[in-house]
Amino acid sequence: MVDQTIAFSGTEKLRNGSATFDFRNISYEYWREKWAYKYVRIQTDTAANEIKDVLSNDGLVRFINGEQTLITEERRAAYTSSVNSVMYFAFLPLWLNDPAVNKSYGGITEIEGKKYHKIKITFAEEGGGEDFEDVFYYWFDIEDYSMDYLAYSYVEKEGTGVRFRKAYNARRVNGVMIQDYVNMKPKSKELKLEEIDEAFINGDLEQLSLIELKDVDININNKEK
């Protein structure tokens, strides 16, 4: 099922491709050739300084107004996690067949009048990244395998956070499916991740934010500039 969903989305093309987009008034650049990659985040601070974070196979480097700057390892880890998170969600379901991914089938669920395959994703500690303890659920349309909903739990200071996202504004850019999401959280902090789809159906979630990618441009089989 994951294979069909990736095929439907066209995101496999980004194994060898590049992209640019804006998210929350911050610019991002994506480049990948098989397992070599470079992700760039460009933003401006309140003093009008350009801050550029460049994440690659060699790690993360920060530039301020074009000059490399020293950062603590704690900040490097935080910036790395933030950039990786944006890229992960932007180009789902591309990553769902990565070596560290563990998949299990949760059966068929009906949401808003349509039937979906429910897939649970966990990560092996080795190769699973800093957030390997996160748990995800995905809902794939049983007919066209579109990924219309996703949910996840993550570790936070107060315990475990839970989020649910509903896709909208699905569009293809150079053959790759790009989606925006309504980002929701449970009204009750006691809600468990495995109950999140039922909570959505029952109206027990509240909107937290919108996840919108703007000015998306995608190039396939590119060479790094």
Side-chain angles (χ1 to χ4, degrees), residues 115-150:
K115 292 183 178 180
Y116 294 90
H117 296 291
K118 184 177 181 179
I119 306 295
K120 181 181 181 180
I121 297 285
T122 59
F123 302 92
E125 183 172 356
E126 182 177 353
E130 192 173 272
D131 300 320
F132 71 92
E133 293 178 298
D134 293 354
V135 178
F136 284 76
Y137 281 95
Y138 296 90
W139 288 264
F140 305 145
D141 188 301
I142 65 170
E143 295 183 0
D144 65 11
Y145 291 94
S146 60
M147 187 188 76
D148 295 350
Y149 305 91
L150 67 94

PDB file of all heavy atoms in Angstrom, residues 115-150:
ATOM      1  N   LYS A 115     -13.506   5.277   2.513  1.00  0.00           N
ATOM      2  CA  LYS A 115     -12.780   4.222   3.194  1.00  0.00           C
ATOM      3  C   LYS A 115     -11.274   4.360   2.960  1.00  0.00           C
ATOM      4  O   LYS A 115     -10.835   4.684   1.848  1.00  0.00           O
ATOM      5  CB  LYS A 115     -13.273   2.862   2.721  1.00  0.00           C
ATOM      6  CG  LYS A 115     -14.698   2.561   3.172  1.00  0.00           C
ATOM      7  CD  LYS A 115     -15.141   1.173   2.765  1.00  0.00           C
ATOM      8  CE  LYS A 115     -16.553   0.881   3.277  1.00  0.00           C
ATOM      9  NZ  LYS A 115     -16.992  -0.481   2.891  1.00  0.00           N
ATOM     10  N   TYR A 116     -10.518   4.080   4.027  1.00  0.00           N
ATOM     11  CA  TYR A 116      -9.067   4.252   3.990  1.00  0.00           C
ATOM     12  C   TYR A 116      -8.349   3.058   4.599  1.00  0.00           C
ATOM     13  O   TYR A 116      -8.824   2.467   5.568  1.00  0.00           O
ATOM     14  CB  TYR A 116      -8.663   5.509   4.776  1.00  0.00           C
ATOM     15  CG  TYR A 116      -9.151   6.793   4.151  1.00  0.00           C
ATOM     16  CD1 TYR A 116     -10.390   7.319   4.501  1.00  0.00           C
ATOM     17  CD2 TYR A 116      -8.380   7.458   3.209  1.00  0.00           C
ATOM     18  CE1 TYR A 116     -10.842   8.489   3.920  1.00  0.00           C
ATOM     19  CE2 TYR A 116      -8.826   8.637   2.633  1.00  0.00           C
ATOM     20  CZ  TYR A 116     -10.058   9.150   2.988  1.00  0.00           C
ATOM     21  OH  TYR A 116     -10.513  10.305   2.412  1.00  0.00           O
ATOM     22  N   HIS A 117      -7.184   2.732   4.029  1.00  0.00           N
ATOM     23  CA  HIS A 117      -6.263   1.827   4.674  1.00  0.00           C
ATOM     24  C   HIS A 117      -5.541   2.614   5.765  1.00  0.00           C
ATOM     25  O   HIS A 117      -4.994   3.694   5.508  1.00  0.00           O
ATOM     26  CB  HIS A 117      -5.231   1.296   3.676  1.00  0.00           C
ATOM     27  CG  HIS A 117      -5.801   0.462   2.581  1.00  0.00           C
ATOM     28  ND1 HIS A 117      -6.342  -0.787   2.817  1.00  0.00           N
ATOM     29  CD2 HIS A 117      -5.910   0.686   1.244  1.00  0.00           C
ATOM     30  CE1 HIS A 117      -6.755  -1.305   1.666  1.00  0.00           C
ATOM     31  NE2 HIS A 117      -6.515  -0.430   0.703  1.00  0.00           N
ATOM     32  N   LYS A 118      -5.519   2.087   6.976  1.00  0.00           N
ATOM     33  CA  LYS A 118      -4.847   2.743   8.098  1.00  0.00           C
ATOM     34  C   LYS A 118      -3.494   2.064   8.323  1.00  0.00           C
ATOM     35  O   LYS A 118      -3.428   0.862   8.558  1.00  0.00           O
ATOM     36  CB  LYS A 118      -5.715   2.647   9.354  1.00  0.00           C
ATOM     37  CG  LYS A 118      -5.165   3.381  10.563  1.00  0.00           C
ATOM     38  CD  LYS A 118      -6.151   3.278  11.733  1.00  0.00           C
ATOM     39  CE  LYS A 118      -5.672   4.015  12.968  1.00  0.00           C
ATOM     40  NZ  LYS A 118      -6.651   3.941  14.087  1.00  0.00           N
ATOM     41  N   ILE A 119      -2.428   2.849   8.242  1.00  0.00           N
ATOM     42  CA  ILE A 119      -1.072   2.322   8.359  1.00  0.00           C
ATOM     43  C   ILE A 119      -0.368   2.969   9.545  1.00  0.00           C
ATOM     44  O   ILE A 119      -0.379   4.197   9.699  1.00  0.00           O
ATOM     45  CB  ILE A 119      -0.253   2.598   7.081  1.00  0.00           C
ATOM     46  CG1 ILE A 119      -0.988   2.074   5.841  1.00  0.00           C
ATOM     47  CG2 ILE A 119       1.141   2.000   7.195  1.00  0.00           C
ATOM     48  CD1 ILE A 119      -1.143   0.583   5.801  1.00  0.00           C
ATOM     49  N   LYS A 120       0.243   2.145  10.382  1.00  0.00           N
ATOM     50  CA  LYS A 120       1.026   2.648  11.512  1.00  0.00           C
ATOM     51  C   LYS A 120       2.505   2.621  11.152  1.00  0.00           C
ATOM     52  O   LYS A 120       3.004   1.640  10.586  1.00  0.00           O
ATOM     53  CB  LYS A 120       0.772   1.799  12.762  1.00  0.00           C
ATOM     54  CG  LYS A 120       1.541   2.273  13.993  1.00  0.00           C
ATOM     55  CD  LYS A 120       1.265   1.373  15.201  1.00  0.00           C
ATOM     56  CE  LYS A 120       2.009   1.836  16.436  1.00  0.00           C
ATOM     57  NZ  LYS A 120       1.741   0.963  17.610  1.00  0.00           N
ATOM     58  N   ILE A 121       3.212   3.703  11.478  1.00  0.00           N
ATOM     59  CA  ILE A 121       4.637   3.810  11.193  1.00  0.00           C
ATOM     60  C   ILE A 121       5.400   4.070  12.489  1.00  0.00           C
ATOM     61  O   ILE A 121       5.083   4.995  13.241  1.00  0.00           O
ATOM     62  CB  ILE A 121       4.932   4.965  10.207  1.00  0.00           C
ATOM     63  CG1 ILE A 121       4.263   4.716   8.852  1.00  0.00           C
ATOM     64  CG2 ILE A 121       6.433   5.188  10.057  1.00  0.00           C
ATOM     65  CD1 ILE A 121       4.917   3.690   7.999  1.00  0.00           C
ATOM     66  N   THR A 122       6.404   3.258  12.754  1.00  0.00           N
ATOM     67  CA  THR A 122       7.354   3.531  13.827  1.00  0.00           C
ATOM     68  C   THR A 122       8.753   3.502  13.212  1.00  0.00           C
ATOM     69  O   THR A 122       8.924   3.162  12.031  1.00  0.00           O
ATOM     70  CB  THR A 122       7.250   2.496  14.960  1.00  0.00           C
ATOM     71  OG1 THR A 122       7.502   1.188  14.429  1.00  0.00           O
ATOM     72  CG2 THR A 122       5.871   2.530  15.599  1.00  0.00           C
ATOM     73  N   PHE A 123       9.766   3.842  14.017  1.00  0.00           N
ATOM     74  CA  PHE A 123      11.117   3.956  13.485  1.00  0.00           C
ATOM     75  C   PHE A 123      12.100   3.161  14.334  1.00  0.00           C
ATOM     76  O   PHE A 123      12.002   3.145  15.568  1.00  0.00           O
ATOM     77  CB  PHE A 123      11.562   5.421  13.446  1.00  0.00           C
ATOM     78  CG  PHE A 123      10.655   6.298  12.637  1.00  0.00           C
ATOM     79  CD1 PHE A 123       9.594   6.969  13.240  1.00  0.00           C
ATOM     80  CD2 PHE A 123      10.841   6.442  11.276  1.00  0.00           C
ATOM     81  CE1 PHE A 123       8.750   7.771  12.499  1.00  0.00           C
ATOM     82  CE2 PHE A 123      10.001   7.234  10.520  1.00  0.00           C
ATOM     83  CZ  PHE A 123       8.948   7.903  11.132  1.00  0.00           C
ATOM     84  N   ALA A 124      13.049   2.529  13.666  1.00  0.00           N
ATOM     85  CA  ALA A 124      14.145   1.878  14.370  1.00  0.00           C
ATOM     86  C   ALA A 124      15.053   2.957  14.958  1.00  0.00           C
ATOM     87  O   ALA A 124      15.198   4.040  14.387  1.00  0.00           O
ATOM     88  CB  ALA A 124      14.935   0.999  13.401  1.00  0.00           C
ATOM     89  N   GLU A 125      15.647   2.656  16.089  1.00  0.00           N
ATOM     90  CA  GLU A 125      16.541   3.638  16.713  1.00  0.00           C
ATOM     91  C   GLU A 125      17.731   3.927  15.810  1.00  0.00           C
ATOM     92  O   GLU A 125      18.134   5.087  15.651  1.00  0.00           O
ATOM     93  CB  GLU A 125      17.015   3.133  18.074  1.00  0.00           C
ATOM     94  CG  GLU A 125      17.885   4.137  18.814  1.00  0.00           C
ATOM     95  CD  GLU A 125      18.187   3.714  20.233  1.00  0.00           C
ATOM     96  OE1 GLU A 125      17.660   2.663  20.669  1.00  0.00           O
ATOM     97  OE2 GLU A 125      18.946   4.430  20.916  1.00  0.00           O
ATOM     98  N   GLU A 126      18.278   2.881  15.191  1.00  0.00           N
ATOM     99  CA  GLU A 126      19.395   3.078  14.277  1.00  0.00           C
ATOM    100  C   GLU A 126      18.876   3.580  12.929  1.00  0.00           C
ATOM    101  O   GLU A 126      18.102   2.899  12.254  1.00  0.00           O
ATOM    102  CB  GLU A 126      20.166   1.771  14.063  1.00  0.00           C
ATOM    103  CG  GLU A 126      21.377   1.923  13.165  1.00  0.00           C
ATOM    104  CD  GLU A 126      22.171   0.634  13.018  1.00  0.00           C
ATOM    105  OE1 GLU A 126      21.835  -0.343  13.730  1.00  0.00           O
ATOM    106  OE2 GLU A 126      23.098   0.598  12.216  1.00  0.00           O
ATOM    107  N   GLY A 127      19.253   4.781  12.571  1.00  0.00           N
ATOM    108  CA  GLY A 127      18.815   5.368  11.312  1.00  0.00           C
ATOM    109  C   GLY A 127      17.489   6.083  11.402  1.00  0.00           C
ATOM    110  O   GLY A 127      17.022   6.661  10.419  1.00  0.00           O
ATOM    111  N   GLY A 128      16.865   6.055  12.578  1.00  0.00           N
ATOM    112  CA  GLY A 128      15.555   6.669  12.732  1.00  0.00           C
ATOM    113  C   GLY A 128      15.601   8.136  13.106  1.00  0.00           C
ATOM    114  O   GLY A 128      14.546   8.758  13.275  1.00  0.00           O
ATOM    115  N   GLY A 129      16.801   8.679  13.264  1.00  0.00           N
ATOM    116  CA  GLY A 129      16.924  10.097  13.579  1.00  0.00           C
ATOM    117  C   GLY A 129      16.713  10.384  15.054  1.00  0.00           C
ATOM    118  O   GLY A 129      16.440   9.486  15.874  1.00  0.00           O
ATOM    119  N   GLU A 130      16.836  11.653  15.394  1.00  0.00           N
ATOM    120  CA  GLU A 130      16.720  12.087  16.788  1.00  0.00           C
ATOM    121  C   GLU A 130      15.326  11.831  17.356  1.00  0.00           C
ATOM    122  O   GLU A 130      15.155  11.598  18.555  1.00  0.00           O
ATOM    123  CB  GLU A 130      17.058  13.578  16.859  1.00  0.00           C
ATOM    124  CG  GLU A 130      17.257  14.100  18.265  1.00  0.00           C
ATOM    125  CD  GLU A 130      17.746  15.533  18.277  1.00  0.00           C
ATOM    126  OE1 GLU A 130      18.958  15.750  18.222  1.00  0.00           O
ATOM    127  OE2 GLU A 130      16.897  16.432  18.316  1.00  0.00           O
ATOM    128  N   ASP A 131      14.311  11.845  16.482  1.00  0.00           N
ATOM    129  CA  ASP A 131      12.920  11.675  16.923  1.00  0.00           C
ATOM    130  C   ASP A 131      12.401  10.274  16.613  1.00  0.00           C
ATOM    131  O   ASP A 131      11.227  10.105  16.259  1.00  0.00           O
ATOM    132  CB  ASP A 131      12.038  12.738  16.253  1.00  0.00           C
ATOM    133  CG  ASP A 131      12.472  14.152  16.589  1.00  0.00           C
ATOM    134  OD1 ASP A 131      12.830  14.382  17.759  1.00  0.00           O
ATOM    135  OD2 ASP A 131      12.484  15.008  15.690  1.00  0.00           O
ATOM    136  N   PHE A 132      13.258   9.269  16.748  1.00  0.00           N
ATOM    137  CA  PHE A 132      12.868   7.913  16.362  1.00  0.00           C
ATOM    138  C   PHE A 132      11.710   7.374  17.201  1.00  0.00           C
ATOM    139  O   PHE A 132      11.045   6.415  16.807  1.00  0.00           O
ATOM    140  CB  PHE A 132      14.067   6.959  16.456  1.00  0.00           C
ATOM    141  CG  PHE A 132      14.509   6.650  17.866  1.00  0.00           C
ATOM    142  CD1 PHE A 132      13.999   5.556  18.536  1.00  0.00           C
ATOM    143  CD2 PHE A 132      15.431   7.458  18.514  1.00  0.00           C
ATOM    144  CE1 PHE A 132      14.394   5.269  19.836  1.00  0.00           C
ATOM    145  CE2 PHE A 132      15.834   7.175  19.812  1.00  0.00           C
ATOM    146  CZ  PHE A 132      15.313   6.081  20.475  1.00  0.00           C
ATOM    147  N   GLU A 133      11.448   7.986  18.363  1.00  0.00           N
ATOM    148  CA  GLU A 133      10.361   7.509  19.212  1.00  0.00           C
ATOM    149  C   GLU A 133       8.984   8.013  18.758  1.00  0.00           C
ATOM    150  O   GLU A 133       7.958   7.566  19.280  1.00  0.00           O
ATOM    151  CB  GLU A 133      10.602   7.933  20.660  1.00  0.00           C
ATOM    152  CG  GLU A 133      11.810   7.259  21.302  1.00  0.00           C
ATOM    153  CD  GLU A 133      12.058   7.724  22.721  1.00  0.00           C
ATOM    154  OE1 GLU A 133      12.325   8.923  22.926  1.00  0.00           O
ATOM    155  OE2 GLU A 133      11.971   6.876  23.623  1.00  0.00           O
ATOM    156  N   ASP A 134       8.947   8.917  17.801  1.00  0.00           N
ATOM    157  CA  ASP A 134       7.665   9.405  17.275  1.00  0.00           C
ATOM    158  C   ASP A 134       6.906   8.258  16.608  1.00  0.00           C
ATOM    159  O   ASP A 134       7.506   7.339  16.038  1.00  0.00           O
ATOM    160  CB  ASP A 134       7.881  10.520  16.249  1.00  0.00           C
ATOM    161  CG  ASP A 134       8.451  11.785  16.874  1.00  0.00           C
ATOM    162  OD1 ASP A 134       8.570  11.840  18.114  1.00  0.00           O
ATOM    163  OD2 ASP A 134       8.785  12.715  16.120  1.00  0.00           O
ATOM    164  N   VAL A 135       5.602   8.315  16.678  1.00  0.00           N
ATOM    165  CA  VAL A 135       4.740   7.310  16.052  1.00  0.00           C
ATOM    166  C   VAL A 135       3.778   8.026  15.110  1.00  0.00           C
ATOM    167  O   VAL A 135       3.229   9.081  15.451  1.00  0.00           O
ATOM    168  CB  VAL A 135       3.938   6.524  17.109  1.00  0.00           C
ATOM    169  CG1 VAL A 135       3.014   5.504  16.444  1.00  0.00           C
ATOM    170  CG2 VAL A 135       4.885   5.833  18.083  1.00  0.00           C
ATOM    171  N   PHE A 136       3.584   7.459  13.916  1.00  0.00           N
ATOM    172  CA  PHE A 136       2.718   8.070  12.910  1.00  0.00           C
ATOM    173  C   PHE A 136       1.618   7.101  12.491  1.00  0.00           C
ATOM    174  O   PHE A 136       1.799   5.885  12.509  1.00  0.00           O
ATOM    175  CB  PHE A 136       3.520   8.440  11.660  1.00  0.00           C
ATOM    176  CG  PHE A 136       4.363   9.679  11.799  1.00  0.00           C
ATOM    177  CD1 PHE A 136       5.547   9.649  12.511  1.00  0.00           C
ATOM    178  CD2 PHE A 136       3.974  10.869  11.199  1.00  0.00           C
ATOM    179  CE1 PHE A 136       6.332  10.779  12.637  1.00  0.00           C
ATOM    180  CE2 PHE A 136       4.751  12.001  11.320  1.00  0.00           C
ATOM    181  CZ  PHE A 136       5.940  11.967  12.040  1.00  0.00           C
ATOM    182  N   TYR A 137       0.488   7.675  12.089  1.00  0.00           N
ATOM    183  CA  TYR A 137      -0.558   6.932  11.384  1.00  0.00           C
ATOM    184  C   TYR A 137      -0.859   7.668  10.085  1.00  0.00           C
ATOM    185  O   TYR A 137      -0.867   8.912  10.047  1.00  0.00           O
ATOM    186  CB  TYR A 137      -1.835   6.836  12.215  1.00  0.00           C
ATOM    187  CG  TYR A 137      -1.800   5.780  13.293  1.00  0.00           C
ATOM    188  CD1 TYR A 137      -1.442   6.097  14.602  1.00  0.00           C
ATOM    189  CD2 TYR A 137      -2.135   4.456  13.004  1.00  0.00           C
ATOM    190  CE1 TYR A 137      -1.412   5.128  15.600  1.00  0.00           C
ATOM    191  CE2 TYR A 137      -2.109   3.478  14.001  1.00  0.00           C
ATOM    192  CZ  TYR A 137      -1.747   3.823  15.286  1.00  0.00           C
ATOM    193  OH  TYR A 137      -1.720   2.863  16.259  1.00  0.00           O
ATOM    194  N   TYR A 138      -1.115   6.890   9.028  1.00  0.00           N
ATOM    195  CA  TYR A 138      -1.489   7.460   7.738  1.00  0.00           C
ATOM    196  C   TYR A 138      -2.746   6.765   7.244  1.00  0.00           C
ATOM    197  O   TYR A 138      -2.938   5.565   7.471  1.00  0.00           O
ATOM    198  CB  TYR A 138      -0.366   7.271   6.717  1.00  0.00           C
ATOM    199  CG  TYR A 138       0.901   7.997   7.077  1.00  0.00           C
ATOM    200  CD1 TYR A 138       1.886   7.369   7.839  1.00  0.00           C
ATOM    201  CD2 TYR A 138       1.121   9.315   6.685  1.00  0.00           C
ATOM    202  CE1 TYR A 138       3.048   8.037   8.186  1.00  0.00           C
ATOM    203  CE2 TYR A 138       2.274   9.986   7.030  1.00  0.00           C
ATOM    204  CZ  TYR A 138       3.238   9.345   7.777  1.00  0.00           C
ATOM    205  OH  TYR A 138       4.381  10.012   8.134  1.00  0.00           O
ATOM    206  N   TRP A 139      -3.573   7.526   6.529  1.00  0.00           N
ATOM    207  CA  TRP A 139      -4.790   6.980   5.962  1.00  0.00           C
ATOM    208  C   TRP A 139      -4.731   7.150   4.448  1.00  0.00           C
ATOM    209  O   TRP A 139      -4.684   8.264   3.931  1.00  0.00           O
ATOM    210  CB  TRP A 139      -6.018   7.687   6.542  1.00  0.00           C
ATOM    211  CG  TRP A 139      -6.281   7.305   7.964  1.00  0.00           C
ATOM    212  CD1 TRP A 139      -7.142   6.345   8.412  1.00  0.00           C
ATOM    213  CD2 TRP A 139      -5.679   7.868   9.149  1.00  0.00           C
ATOM    214  NE1 TRP A 139      -7.118   6.268   9.792  1.00  0.00           N
ATOM    215  CE2 TRP A 139      -6.225   7.191  10.271  1.00  0.00           C
ATOM    216  CE3 TRP A 139      -4.742   8.878   9.377  1.00  0.00           C
ATOM    217  CZ2 TRP A 139      -5.860   7.494  11.575  1.00  0.00           C
ATOM    218  CZ3 TRP A 139      -4.358   9.171  10.671  1.00  0.00           C
ATOM    219  CH2 TRP A 139      -4.915   8.491  11.755  1.00  0.00           C
ATOM    220  N   PHE A 140      -4.718   5.998   3.733  1.00  0.00           N
ATOM    221  CA  PHE A 140      -4.624   5.977   2.280  1.00  0.00           C
ATOM    222  C   PHE A 140      -5.968   5.570   1.681  1.00  0.00           C
ATOM    223  O   PHE A 140      -6.520   4.523   2.047  1.00  0.00           O
ATOM    224  CB  PHE A 140      -3.554   4.988   1.804  1.00  0.00           C
ATOM    225  CG  PHE A 140      -2.187   5.226   2.400  1.00  0.00           C
ATOM    226  CD1 PHE A 140      -1.358   4.154   2.697  1.00  0.00           C
ATOM    227  CD2 PHE A 140      -1.741   6.507   2.666  1.00  0.00           C
ATOM    228  CE1 PHE A 140      -0.094   4.360   3.239  1.00  0.00           C
ATOM    229  CE2 PHE A 140      -0.477   6.725   3.208  1.00  0.00           C
ATOM    230  CZ  PHE A 140       0.348   5.653   3.495  1.00  0.00           C
ATOM    231  N   ASP A 141      -6.481   6.374   0.771  1.00  0.00           N
ATOM    232  CA  ASP A 141      -7.735   6.084   0.082  1.00  0.00           C
ATOM    233  C   ASP A 141      -7.655   4.696  -0.559  1.00  0.00           C
ATOM    234  O   ASP A 141      -6.690   4.391  -1.267  1.00  0.00           O
ATOM    235  CB  ASP A 141      -7.986   7.154  -0.987  1.00  0.00           C
ATOM    236  CG  ASP A 141      -9.343   7.050  -1.632  1.00  0.00           C
ATOM    237  OD1 ASP A 141      -9.651   5.982  -2.223  1.00  0.00           O
ATOM    238  OD2 ASP A 141     -10.102   8.027  -1.595  1.00  0.00           O
ATOM    239  N   ILE A 142      -8.654   3.851  -0.323  1.00  0.00           N
ATOM    240  CA  ILE A 142      -8.590   2.481  -0.825  1.00  0.00           C
ATOM    241  C   ILE A 142      -8.713   2.419  -2.348  1.00  0.00           C
ATOM    242  O   ILE A 142      -8.380   1.389  -2.954  1.00  0.00           O
ATOM    243  CB  ILE A 142      -9.662   1.570  -0.180  1.00  0.00           C
ATOM    244  CG1 ILE A 142     -11.070   2.017  -0.577  1.00  0.00           C
ATOM    245  CG2 ILE A 142      -9.496   1.514   1.324  1.00  0.00           C
ATOM    246  CD1 ILE A 142     -12.143   1.018  -0.169  1.00  0.00           C
ATOM    247  N   GLU A 143      -9.186   3.493  -2.983  1.00  0.00           N
ATOM    248  CA  GLU A 143      -9.353   3.476  -4.433  1.00  0.00           C
ATOM    249  C   GLU A 143      -8.146   4.052  -5.163  1.00  0.00           C
ATOM    250  O   GLU A 143      -7.596   3.428  -6.060  1.00  0.00           O
ATOM    251  CB  GLU A 143     -10.631   4.215  -4.815  1.00  0.00           C
ATOM    252  CG  GLU A 143     -11.897   3.524  -4.311  1.00  0.00           C
ATOM    253  CD  GLU A 143     -13.161   4.224  -4.766  1.00  0.00           C
ATOM    254  OE1 GLU A 143     -13.069   5.246  -5.474  1.00  0.00           O
ATOM    255  OE2 GLU A 143     -14.253   3.742  -4.413  1.00  0.00           O
ATOM    256  N   ASP A 144      -7.727   5.274  -4.819  1.00  0.00           N
ATOM    257  CA  ASP A 144      -6.605   5.877  -5.565  1.00  0.00           C
ATOM    258  C   ASP A 144      -5.314   5.979  -4.746  1.00  0.00           C
ATOM    259  O   ASP A 144      -4.294   6.414  -5.252  1.00  0.00           O
ATOM    260  CB  ASP A 144      -6.988   7.255  -6.111  1.00  0.00           C
ATOM    261  CG  ASP A 144      -7.258   8.286  -5.017  1.00  0.00           C
ATOM    262  OD1 ASP A 144      -6.963   8.023  -3.830  1.00  0.00           O
ATOM    263  OD2 ASP A 144      -7.770   9.378  -5.347  1.00  0.00           O
ATOM    264  N   TYR A 145      -5.361   5.592  -3.472  1.00  0.00           N
ATOM    265  CA  TYR A 145      -4.205   5.591  -2.578  1.00  0.00           C
ATOM    266  C   TYR A 145      -3.683   6.990  -2.254  1.00  0.00           C
ATOM    267  O   TYR A 145      -2.521   7.148  -1.852  1.00  0.00           O
ATOM    268  CB  TYR A 145      -3.075   4.707  -3.139  1.00  0.00           C
ATOM    269  CG  TYR A 145      -3.442   3.242  -3.102  1.00  0.00           C
ATOM    270  CD1 TYR A 145      -4.012   2.626  -4.213  1.00  0.00           C
ATOM    271  CD2 TYR A 145      -3.265   2.493  -1.948  1.00  0.00           C
ATOM    272  CE1 TYR A 145      -4.372   1.280  -4.180  1.00  0.00           C
ATOM    273  CE2 TYR A 145      -3.622   1.148  -1.898  1.00  0.00           C
ATOM    274  CZ  TYR A 145      -4.169   0.558  -3.023  1.00  0.00           C
ATOM    275  OH  TYR A 145      -4.532  -0.771  -2.976  1.00  0.00           O
ATOM    276  N   SER A 146      -4.525   7.992  -2.406  1.00  0.00           N
ATOM    277  CA  SER A 146      -4.136   9.326  -1.956  1.00  0.00           C
ATOM    278  C   SER A 146      -3.992   9.322  -0.434  1.00  0.00           C
ATOM    279  O   SER A 146      -4.679   8.580   0.269  1.00  0.00           O
ATOM    280  CB  SER A 146      -5.177  10.362  -2.382  1.00  0.00           C
ATOM    281  OG  SER A 146      -6.449  10.066  -1.817  1.00  0.00           O
ATOM    282  N   MET A 147      -3.077  10.144   0.080  1.00  0.00           N
ATOM    283  CA  MET A 147      -2.843  10.247   1.513  1.00  0.00           C
ATOM    284  C   MET A 147      -3.618  11.457   2.019  1.00  0.00           C
ATOM    285  O   MET A 147      -3.150  12.578   1.964  1.00  0.00           O
ATOM    286  CB  MET A 147      -1.345  10.404   1.796  1.00  0.00           C
ATOM    287  CG  MET A 147      -0.972  10.346   3.263  1.00  0.00           C
ATOM    288  SD  MET A 147       0.771  10.779   3.531  1.00  0.00           S
ATOM    289  CE  MET A 147       0.692  12.570   3.337  1.00  0.00           C
ATOM    290  N   ASP A 148      -4.827  11.217   2.534  1.00  0.00           N
ATOM    291  CA  ASP A 148      -5.731  12.315   2.876  1.00  0.00           C
ATOM    292  C   ASP A 148      -5.652  12.753   4.331  1.00  0.00           C
ATOM    293  O   ASP A 148      -6.062  13.870   4.665  1.00  0.00           O
ATOM    294  CB  ASP A 148      -7.178  11.918   2.545  1.00  0.00           C
ATOM    295  CG  ASP A 148      -7.384  11.713   1.047  1.00  0.00           C
ATOM    296  OD1 ASP A 148      -6.482  12.063   0.266  1.00  0.00           O
ATOM    297  OD2 ASP A 148      -8.457  11.189   0.659  1.00  0.00           O
ATOM    298  N   TYR A 149      -5.133  11.894   5.191  1.00  0.00           N
ATOM    299  CA  TYR A 149      -5.032  12.223   6.618  1.00  0.00           C
ATOM    300  C   TYR A 149      -3.741  11.622   7.173  1.00  0.00           C
ATOM    301  O   TYR A 149      -3.245  10.593   6.689  1.00  0.00           O
ATOM    302  CB  TYR A 149      -6.205  11.647   7.426  1.00  0.00           C
ATOM    303  CG  TYR A 149      -7.568  12.044   6.916  1.00  0.00           C
ATOM    304  CD1 TYR A 149      -8.238  11.248   5.982  1.00  0.00           C
ATOM    305  CD2 TYR A 149      -8.195  13.200   7.364  1.00  0.00           C
ATOM    306  CE1 TYR A 149      -9.486  11.600   5.504  1.00  0.00           C
ATOM    307  CE2 TYR A 149      -9.450  13.558   6.897  1.00  0.00           C
ATOM    308  CZ  TYR A 149     -10.093  12.761   5.964  1.00  0.00           C
ATOM    309  OH  TYR A 149     -11.334  13.109   5.487  1.00  0.00           O
ATOM    310  N   LEU A 150      -3.202  12.253   8.189  1.00  0.00           N
ATOM    311  CA  LEU A 150      -2.087  11.680   8.930  1.00  0.00           C
ATOM    312  C   LEU A 150      -2.170  12.158  10.374  1.00  0.00           C
ATOM    313  O   LEU A 150      -2.803  13.175  10.677  1.00  0.00           O
ATOM    314  CB  LEU A 150      -0.749  12.054   8.305  1.00  0.00           C
ATOM    315  CG  LEU A 150      -0.303  13.522   8.335  1.00  0.00           C
ATOM    316  CD1 LEU A 150       0.587  13.811   9.549  1.00  0.00           C
ATOM    317  CD2 LEU A 150       0.457  13.873   7.063  1.00  0.00           C
TER     318      LEU A 150
END
